[in-house]
């Protein structure tokens, strides 16, 4: 069986960001915690999935995905200032540790979609949050191995995600 659309793919990998000598490893998915997804329905960058097409169990991969084909370039309009008052709770205080640089704060937009803003600046009257994907602007380099492939069942396809081990358990 080969990786193709609507197949459940299980893979292990290392993810690096940057170019050449400046690459740094930022994520490892090994045998104890592999990535499991339905090809074509994962929400992963299309370029990542495209590079896996045709691979079989045991095949290795080693490829890069540009920022444009990955999570996009950094969008300066996704840097948003909020009045510091928005972060105060009922007693008028900001919870300890909330507004530390690098922290992610969950939000919902007007349509109810959840998103995370990363704290990038804190001033006495204002907090700047970055709503770009954390990997926006980065060249991604994946090195790994396909460890499983199977047909997605009709419920998984209808729900758009893998069920059971490595996926969602309902």
């Amino acid at each position: 069986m080969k990786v193709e659309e609507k197949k459940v793919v299980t893979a292990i990998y290392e993810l690096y960001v940057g170019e050449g000598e400046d690459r740094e490893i930022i994520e490892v998915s090994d045998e104890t915690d592999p990535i499991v997804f339905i090809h074509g329905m994962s929400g992963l960058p299309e370029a990542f999935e495209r590079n896996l097409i045709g691979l079989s169990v045991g095949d290795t991969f080693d490829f890069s995905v540009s920022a444009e084909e990955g999570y996009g370039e950094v969008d300066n309009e996704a840097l948003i200032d909020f009045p510091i008052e928005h972060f105060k709770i009922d007693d008028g205080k900001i919870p300890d540790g909330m507004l530390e640089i690098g922290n992610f704060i969950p939000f919902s937009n007007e349509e109810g979609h959840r998103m995370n803003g990363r704290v990038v600046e804190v001033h006495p009257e204002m907090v700047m949050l970055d709503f770009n994907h954390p990997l926006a602007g980065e060249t991604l380099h994946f090195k790994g191995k396909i460890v499983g492939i199977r047909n997605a069942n009709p419920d998984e396809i209808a729900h758009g995600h893998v069920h059971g081990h490595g996926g969602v358990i309902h």
Side-chain angles (χ1 to χ4, degrees):
M1 188 174 285
K2 295 195 178 290
V3 173
E4 61 185 1
E5 192 167 325
K6 296 191 179 159
K7 298 288 187 194
V8 173
V9 178
T10 304
I12 57 175
Y13 68 92
E14 295 174 345
L15 171 58
Y16 300 82
V17 295
E19 303 277 348
E21 300 279 324
D22 294 330
R23 273 190 194 153
E24 68 176 285
I25 192 165
I26 62 164
E27 185 173 274
V28 174
S29 180
D30 61 17
E31 290 85 357
T32 62
D33 188 25
I35 185 172
V36 182
F37 62 94
I38 301 173
H39 194 279
M41 305 177 82
S42 70
L44 295 164
E46 288 179 26
F48 172 80
E49 290 193 9
R50 189 172 50 251
N51 276 283
L52 300 181
I53 292 173
L55 297 180
S56 299
V57 172
D59 287 348
T60 60
F61 54 88
D62 189 346
F63 59 85
S64 293
V65 173
S66 68
E68 296 81 19
E69 288 192 302
Y71 292 99
E73 294 295 343
V74 173
D75 177 3
N76 288 330
E77 292 190 21
L79 297 169
I80 301 173
D81 292 333
F82 288 87
I84 201 149
E85 297 298 319
H86 288 176
F87 302 94
K88 294 180 179 179
I89 56 175
D90 294 334
D91 65 0
K93 295 182 182 176
I94 298 169
D96 287 340
M98 175 189 272
L99 296 181
E100 292 182 16
I101 304 298
N103 278 1
F104 285 90
I105 300 176
F107 282 82
S108 294
N109 67 10
E110 295 82 24
E111 293 85 37
H113 296 110
R114 299 207 25 103
M115 59 182 73
N116 289 315
R118 183 174 50 88
V119 178
V120 292
E121 291 181 14
V122 178
H123 300 281
E125 302 296 320
M126 177 275 302
V127 176
M128 180 185 286
L129 297 174
D130 182 353
F131 288 93
N132 284 289
H133 188 281
L135 296 175
E138 297 284 357
T139 296
L140 310 175
H141 186 81
F142 296 92
K143 185 176 183 177
K145 180 179 177 180
I146 303 297
V147 296
I149 304 170
R150 67 171 174 81
N151 292 319
N153 68 47
D155 283 343
E156 290 173 321
I157 292 170
H159 292 175
H161 57 253
V162 176
H163 292 165
H165 182 70
V168 176
I169 298 175
H170 317 229

